[in-house]
């Protein structure tokens, strides 16, 4: 081989090596890009070691977990634990809402501390969102206590056999730290008075009853209290009481750590008629709205007053209705964001309709009332419920006689027009008159409606339907009462923070009229079998239950029952 040929051969080899080098560089760059992309997508390379997943406490599937549990994650290193933030580590209820609480990180542990004990017999989900990947979670179920406590008398037991001291109209509200207040009216030996008693969880004891109504020379009989509590534990009571010869609306407030305030008069003293039937609701900031009915010399109208928490005062009474016909049965609902809606029935007898009005601003005027019920249909006895998003649901009795049915409508958040009314019908043989609607909304916007409806023979059963926020529809009604007994009626509802719902009612049977209750389990979406709360050994006439639920999901029921001499006020709890 001559020198030129050798040079050409060497050049070809060098060119081949150079081309292979360039090709190798391109492959290396492509591999680097794919590796980086794979790592960005969370796909581990062949040589990568995946990060260890944190351990969940309680373990997944744990049962009978104490309601005071502080769920936590244990990470591989303290540095990993520091990646836990409130937005990435959350405790959720069965309805998907986030449990309020604090996140604490110490060493390898990230611990969630709930603001209140968890609801009993409820499945919670501890959810960890690692590096914005698909969240991992663990579920546990809190301890179950399905038996209500034995009923106890909470009015003055020393007068239990005095026939002239009947106690009636029991109501209940849950305050701060699990405290519950019950109120009722009872003759004190001189006149009817508003009595209250408080339950303290630490002592498991109801306080001796005391009066809170107006004590003055011009004040006389007081009657039919109503209660509402705000998230800070302040409880407001309203009632009507004779002052200077006619009924006035009065109110007193209980703030945690303080005593009841001196009663404040809410109605306009210049309005000539008797003010009655007060209803109230409180928002998340502690503002309270009270509505009532009162004749003004021309017709019976609906009035309202508001207590502004920031200003510490009640606004003057304002008329809400705009028609010349009589208006009765006011209702009010307040959303946590402060949205206030009032409703009532109004119109000539036999042609009543349901009207509603919306408060424009906390200190502003009320909007012009709108008709909520269907045209040409008689509508009475409205009830309202507001959810956490400002959506308000109304229900009422529509029709007359045997054709009475339960109708509903919704006022969506930000809207000023109500949806077209929808009729809910009980299944099976119960196609006769429907009465006594009750509503409650949970923190996720689901609404429960309960009512009583008769069969052709006049036997009333109790039904409940649920409006599911996820589907925007009412589901099929479920029967709640004991089918082996006689008629049931007067349902009352409460919902806890986890979405569990309790319904109480009275029902007739071989042992007389007794108080019963059933619980909707948000974890299983099922109603329990009814449980009897009153004790038939001591009464054959227990009626008109009221319910309260505290931040931990403990439910208190109060009612009145006859003991052979007079009506007593009784209480039972589902802790």
């Amino acid at each position: 081989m001559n020198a030129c040929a050798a040079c050409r051969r060497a050049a070809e080899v060098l060119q081949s090596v150079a081309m292979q080098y360039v090709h190798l560089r391109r492959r290396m760059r492509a591999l680097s890009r794919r590796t980086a992309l794979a790592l960005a997508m969370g796909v581990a390379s062949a040589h990568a070691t995946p990060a260890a997943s944190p351990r969940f406490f309680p373990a997944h599937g744990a049962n009978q977990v104490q309601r005071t549990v502080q769920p936590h994650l244990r990470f591989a290193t303290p540095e990993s634990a520091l990646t836990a933030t409130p937005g990435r580590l959350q405790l959720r209820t069965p309805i998907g809402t986030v449990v309020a609480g604090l996140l604490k990180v110490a060493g390898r542990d990230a611990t969630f501390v709930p603001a209140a004990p968890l609801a009993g017999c409820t499945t919670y989900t501890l959810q960890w969102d690692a590096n914005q990947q698909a969240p991992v979670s663990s579920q546990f179920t809190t301890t179950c206590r399905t038996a209500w406590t034995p009923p106890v008398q909470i009015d003055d037991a020393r007068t239990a056999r005095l026939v002239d001291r009947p106690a009636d109209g029991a109501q209940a509200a849950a305050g701060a730290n699990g405290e519950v207040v019950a109120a009722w009216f009872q003759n004190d030996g001189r006149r009817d008075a508003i009595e209250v008693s408080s339950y303290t969880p630490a002592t498991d004891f109801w306080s001796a009853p005391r009066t809170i109504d107006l004590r003055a020379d011009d004040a006389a009989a007081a009657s039919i209290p109503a209660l509402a509590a705000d998230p800070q534990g302040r409880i407001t009571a309203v009632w009507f009481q004779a002052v200077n010869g006619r009924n006035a609306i009065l109110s007193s407030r209980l703030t945690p750590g303080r005593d009841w305030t001196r009663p404040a008069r809410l109605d306009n003293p210049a309005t000539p008629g008797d003010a009655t039937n007060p209803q109230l609701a409180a928002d998340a900031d502690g503002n309270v709205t009270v509505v009532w009915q009162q004749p003004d010399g021309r017709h019976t109208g609906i009035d309202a007053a508001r207590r502004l928490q920031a200003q510490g005062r009640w606004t003057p009474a304002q008329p809400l209705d705009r028609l010349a016909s009589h208006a009765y049965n006011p209702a009010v609902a307040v959303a946590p964001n402060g949205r206030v809606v009032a409703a009532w029935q109004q119109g000539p007898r036999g042609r009543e309709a349901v009207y509603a009005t919306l408060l424009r601003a906390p200190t502003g005027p009320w909007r012009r009332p709108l008709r909520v019920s269907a045209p040409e249909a008689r509508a009475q006895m409205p009830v309202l419920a507001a959810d956490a998003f400002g959506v308000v649901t109304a229900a009422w009795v529509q029709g007359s006689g045997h054709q009475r049915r339960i109708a509903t409508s919704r006022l969506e958040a930000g809207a000023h027009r109500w949806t077209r009314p929808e009729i809910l019908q009980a299944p099976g043989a119960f196609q006769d008159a429907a009465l006594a609607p009750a509503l409650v909304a949970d923190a996720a916007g689901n609404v429960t409606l309960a009512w009583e409806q008769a069969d052709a023979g006049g036997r009333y059963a109790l039904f409940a339907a649920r409006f599911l926020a996820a589907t925007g529809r009412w589901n099929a009604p479920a029967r709640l009462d004991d089918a082996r007994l006689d008629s049931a009626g007067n349902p009352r509802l409460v919902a806890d923070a986890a979405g569990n719902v309790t319904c109480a009612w009275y029902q007739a049977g071989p042992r007389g009229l007794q108080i019963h209750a059933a619980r909707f389990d948000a974890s299983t979406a099922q109603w329990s079998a009814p449980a009897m709360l009153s004790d038939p050994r001591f009464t054959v006439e227990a009626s008109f239950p009221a319910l309260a639920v505290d931040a931990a999901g403990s439910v208190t029921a109060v009612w009145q029952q006859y003991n052979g001499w007079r009506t007593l006020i009784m209480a039972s709890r589902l802790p």
Side-chain angles (χ1 to χ4, degrees):
M1 180 181 296
N2 57 34
C4 290
C7 290
R8 286 196 299 271
R9 179 60 179 165
E12 291 173 354
V13 171
L14 288 174
Q15 184 178 11
S16 175
V17 171
M19 292 179 64
Q20 292 179 20
Y21 176 74
V22 170
H23 182 64
L24 179 61
R25 287 286 303 273
R26 289 175 178 171
R27 290 189 61 189
M28 291 294 293
R29 285 197 296 269
L31 180 61
S32 297
R33 286 195 297 269
R34 287 197 298 269
T35 302
L37 179 61
L39 291 175
M41 296 176 63
V43 179
S45 68
H47 301 288
T49 301
S53 298
R55 293 180 60 191
F56 286 83
F57 296 90
H60 180 68
N63 291 303
Q64 297 297 316
V65 176
Q66 293 299 312
R67 294 166 61 186
T68 54
V69 65
Q70 296 182 356
H72 65 279
L73 295 184
R74 179 158 295 166
F75 291 83
T77 65
E79 292 75 18
S80 299
L82 292 174
T83 64
T85 62
R88 298 176 64 187
L89 180 60
Q90 295 179 329
L91 185 64
R92 292 185 175 270
T93 68
I95 57 176
T97 54
V98 177
V99 176
L102 298 174
L103 178 63
K104 295 183 178 180
V105 177
R108 295 189 296 141
D109 291 344
T111 302
F112 180 79
V113 183
L118 303 180
C121 207
T122 301
T123 300
Y124 288 86
T125 300
L126 185 61
Q127 182 173 293
W128 165 240
D129 187 0
N131 296 324
Q132 308 302 317
Q133 300 175 17
V136 292
S137 61
S138 175
Q139 291 186 329
F140 62 89
T141 301
T142 51
T143 183
C144 290
R145 183 170 180 178
T146 58
W148 291 75
T149 61
V152 295
Q153 182 181 351
I154 60 174
D155 68 304
D156 191 347
R158 297 172 299 178
T159 65
R161 296 191 177 188
L162 298 182
V163 296
D164 60 346
R165 303 290 179 89
D168 301 278
Q171 299 293 319
N177 303 316
E179 183 179 275
V180 179
V181 171
W184 62 93
F185 69 97
Q186 183 174 9
N187 191 286
D188 62 5
R190 295 175 298 169
R191 63 171 177 82
D192 284 347
I194 304 300
E195 304 271 344
V196 295
S197 175
S198 297
Y199 172 83
T200 303
T203 61
D204 192 24
F205 184 76
W206 287 89
S207 67
R210 53 165 298 188
T211 59
I212 62 169
D213 58 89
L214 182 63
R215 296 282 147 167
D217 292 339
D218 58 355
S223 188
I224 309 182
L227 298 174
D230 65 30
Q232 291 73 40
R234 294 178 289 252
I235 295 177
T236 303
V238 294
W239 63 91
F240 64 87
Q241 184 172 1
V243 178
N244 284 325
R246 73 166 182 83
N247 287 332
I249 303 298
L250 289 108
S251 175
S252 179
R253 282 168 60 86
L254 178 66
T255 299
R258 299 183 182 179
D259 200 358
W260 288 90
T261 61
R262 177 178 171 79
R265 184 169 182 174
L266 308 187
D267 66 302
N268 184 352
T271 304
D274 286 327
T276 57
N277 198 13
Q279 307 294 319
L280 77 166
D283 68 20
D285 295 326
N287 304 306
V288 178
T289 303
V290 181
V291 295
W292 64 90
Q293 62 192 49
Q294 185 172 12
D296 60 7
R298 296 176 293 105
H299 81 314
T300 297
I302 306 299
D303 289 353
R306 283 176 48 80
R307 189 183 192 281
L308 305 178
Q309 178 61 29
Q311 301 179 22
R313 66 178 181 88
W314 287 94
T315 63
Q318 292 180 274
L320 301 186
D321 66 296
R322 304 284 183 89
L323 302 179
S325 54
H326 295 308
Y328 301 103
N329 296 318
V332 64
V334 180
N337 62 6
R339 192 184 200 195
V340 183
V341 175
W344 59 90
Q345 68 182 60
Q346 189 166 19
R349 183 175 178 82
R351 292 187 289 137
E352 299 93 338
V354 170
Y355 292 87
T357 179
L358 179 69
L359 188 67
R360 291 179 183 269
T363 58
W366 293 80
R367 290 183 178 272
R368 183 178 183 84
L370 297 176
R371 180 167 180 155
V372 180
S373 56
E376 306 304 324
R378 187 183 192 187
Q380 298 174 282
M381 307 300 294
V383 291
L384 298 172
D387 68 22
F389 309 101
V391 180
V392 179
T393 302
W396 61 90
V397 177
Q398 182 165 303
S400 300
H402 297 289
Q403 300 304 314
R404 285 172 289 181
R405 298 292 182 265
I406 303 301
T408 70
S409 179
R410 287 167 60 83
L411 183 66
E412 300 294 340
H416 302 299
R417 294 282 178 179
W418 292 79
T419 62
R420 183 184 182 90
E422 180 178 355
I423 300 294
L424 295 184
Q425 176 61 51
F430 294 88
Q431 303 295 312
D432 211 275
L435 302 170
L439 283 171
V440 72
D442 68 25
N446 306 305
V447 180
T448 302
L449 167 63
W451 72 95
E452 58 185 80
Q453 190 158 358
D455 61 15
R459 196 276 193 202
Y460 281 88
L462 208 68
F463 296 92
R466 286 177 50 81
F467 181 91
L468 303 181
T471 64
R473 299 175 59 184
W474 290 94
N475 64 8
R479 185 173 177 179
L480 304 188
D481 66 304
D482 190 335
R484 300 167 299 177
L485 303 179
D486 294 330
S487 286
N490 195 54
R492 291 294 181 265
L493 295 167
V494 290
D496 67 25
N500 304 303
V501 178
T502 301
C503 181
W505 65 92
Y506 61 74
Q507 186 165 11
R511 295 183 288 182
L513 208 61
Q514 303 294 339
I515 303 298
H516 298 256
R519 180 179 185 267
F520 177 83
D521 187 334
S523 303
T524 63
Q526 297 292 325
W527 285 94
S528 70
M532 185 182 295
L533 276 56
S534 51
D535 191 335
R537 295 176 300 173
F538 302 110
T539 185
V540 294
E541 189 179 314
S543 58
F544 301 112
L547 295 172
V549 62
D550 65 22
S554 298
V555 181
T556 300
V558 296
W559 65 89
Q560 65 187 54
Q561 71 179 42
Y562 184 65
N563 69 345
W565 288 272
R566 69 168 178 86
T567 48
L568 316 174
I569 303 300
M570 307 296 293
S572 177
R573 286 175 48 81
L574 185 64

